[in-house]
Amino acid sequence: MKACMQPILYSYRRCPYAMRARLAINVVNIAVEMREISLRDKPAHMLEVSPKGTVPVLILQTGVVIEQSLDIMFWALQQCDPENWLNADFGKTQALITQNDTQFKQALDRYKYPERYPQFTQTHYREQGEVYLQRLEILLNAHIYLLKDTASLADMAIFPFIRQFAAVDLAWFETANYPKLKIWLNHLVNSTLFERVMKKQPTYIA
Ligand SMILES: N[C@@H](CCC(=O)N[C@@H](CS)C(=O)NCC(=O)O)C(=O)O
């Protein structure tokens, strides 16, 4: 018997944008055909439906293409929101994610690859990123998660990027003064949900 078609998710395991999409898809338990790609050799079909060439890209059975990680999260959580991720202040959620995806992500890229941005030192870029870490630390002094005492969309959209920032220089991160942030990150990174979305997949061959 022919299997029913599922939505297709073009993904890249180590991409934090793809991680947030996979987190939402997994928490809702939506079956998708996962296509792990190589960023150096993107499948022609992916580029055909989404010429911008970034992952994640979700293609629904109707042919609708969702090509922004946050839109994929919203699409999944609108089907069902078993952990109440959408139940948090929307304005605050948006503001936090926007800062993550703009200033923080820019600082992260520069901190990670300082040789590509020789204008300033790596420490300078780290300090730029720390502006955001400090903002998160303040929020985590008030609640266990960023906006409430249970996880919400903001936590799930943001922690893959903080994980990457921490990993650039783990020895530094371990000594840095972000006690609440470390607990938060540790908890999310060690969750069974994250473990599930980080399972290794063979690279998709068209
Ligand atoms: N705004 C996009 C950004 C996605 C993005 O930049 N993904 C990176 C990987 S982490 C990518 O695919 N880059 C293309 C490349 O490296 O060729 C989203 O939220 O989905």
Side-chain angles (χ1 to χ4, degrees):
M1 204 199 304
K2 195 170 176 265
C4 293
M5 235 178 89
Q6 297 174 340
I8 295 167
L9 183 73
Y10 284 107
S11 182
Y12 180 64
R13 184 175 171 272
R14 286 162 46 206
C15 166
Y17 297 100
M19 285 176 202
R20 60 157 71 136
R22 298 199 304 271
L23 285 163
I25 286 171
N26 260 271
V27 81
V28 178
N29 211 2
I30 298 174
V32 297
E33 182 187 331
M34 187 71 72
R35 295 186 177 176
E36 170 75 13
I37 70 154
S38 154
L39 289 174
R40 287 201 206 99
D41 186 16
K42 295 169 187 159
H45 175 248
M46 180 184 121
L47 293 173
E48 206 177 284
V49 298
S50 180
K52 72 177 181 14
T54 63
V55 284
V57 176
L58 183 70
I59 305 150
L60 305 183
Q61 293 102 317
T62 54
V64 168
V65 177
I66 309 179
E67 52 181 2
Q68 290 296 332
S69 56
L70 273 182
D71 293 338
I72 296 173
M73 292 187 92
F74 282 121
W75 171 83
L77 294 167
Q78 273 151 13
Q79 324 283 310
C80 171
D81 183 11
E83 308 270 337
N84 285 319
W85 287 3
L86 293 179
N87 183 16
D89 185 298
F90 189 64
K92 287 183 188 164
T93 301
Q94 256 188 329
L96 275 178
I97 297 175
T98 300
Q99 191 177 352
N100 179 80
D101 289 11
T102 53
Q103 288 123 298
F104 181 68
K105 173 67 164 106
Q106 193 186 74
L108 168 60
D109 288 344
R110 284 161 173 66
Y111 176 41
K112 211 169 151 193
Y113 303 111
E115 64 287 354
R116 295 185 198 165
Y117 305 95
Q119 207 179 347
F120 294 105
T121 62
Q122 186 182 31
T123 307
H124 172 85
Y125 297 129
R126 186 173 74 203
E127 284 165 1
Q128 284 188 330
E130 282 193 81
V131 173
Y132 191 58
L133 300 193
Q134 283 154 14
R135 182 177 179 190
L136 301 188
E137 181 71 19
I138 289 169
L139 291 173
L140 293 167
N141 268 305
H143 295 288
I144 297 172
Y145 290 89
L146 293 174
L147 297 175
K148 51 180 189 158
D149 285 329
T150 56
S152 72
L153 181 78
D155 302 281
M156 297 302 162
I158 291 167
F159 89 84
F161 295 82
I162 308 300
R163 171 181 175 268
Q164 220 174 59
F165 192 89
V168 175
D169 183 350
L170 261 184
W172 169 81
F173 188 72
E174 269 155 25
T175 62
N177 191 22
Y178 299 106
K180 296 283 163 56
L181 185 79
K182 286 182 201 171
I183 295 169
W184 170 83
L185 183 62
N186 214 26
H187 185 73
L188 290 165
V189 165
N190 291 309
S191 64
T192 51
L193 178 64
F194 191 59
E195 216 170 87
R196 277 210 306 275
V197 307
M198 291 306 282
K199 273 213 186 94
K200 289 212 165 115
Q201 304 276 341
T203 302
Y204 170 72
I205 299 162

